[in-house]
Amino acid sequence: MDRKYGRAWKRIRDKYIRDHPFCEKCGGIAEEVHHIKPLKEGGKHYKGNLMALCKHCHKMAHDI
């Protein structure tokens, strides 16, 4: 596992999903937390860089 996605990320992700239970694109059940600006491009785990997404919308975000 990439060190950028360690225990700290799991805590951030779990809290974000609790606070945002619905997909921010379609309104479905959120199951994934997406980085708007990817970590590899300098994005961080800050709330302003995160989106709660359902699995479908998360896949679509990465297929673009």
Side-chain angles (χ1 to χ4, degrees), residues 4-5 9 12 33-39 43-46 49-51 53 58 62:
K4 295 176 185 174
Y5 290 99
W9 168 244
I12 292 165
V33 177
H34 175 70
H35 288 89
I36 297 165
K37 181 176 183 179
L39 297 179
K44 304 290 183 195
H45 296 320
Y46 302 135
N49 190 44
L50 302 177
M51 288 182 75
L53 298 174
H58 192 229
H62 283 276

Side-chain angles (χ1 to χ4, degrees), residues 3-37:
R3 288 184 356 194
K4 295 176 185 174
Y5 290 99
R7 282 188 207 137
W9 168 244
K10 181 168 179 4
R11 284 191 307 273
I12 292 165
R13 181 190 128 6
D14 290 349
K15 181 178 180 345
Y16 197 86
I17 288 287
R18 268 193 316 273
D19 294 345
H20 303 88
F22 300 103
C23 178
E24 295 178 55
K25 287 280 189 184
C26 74
I29 301 297
E31 299 176 76
E32 307 281 345
V33 177
H34 175 70
H35 288 89
I36 297 165
K37 181 176 183 179

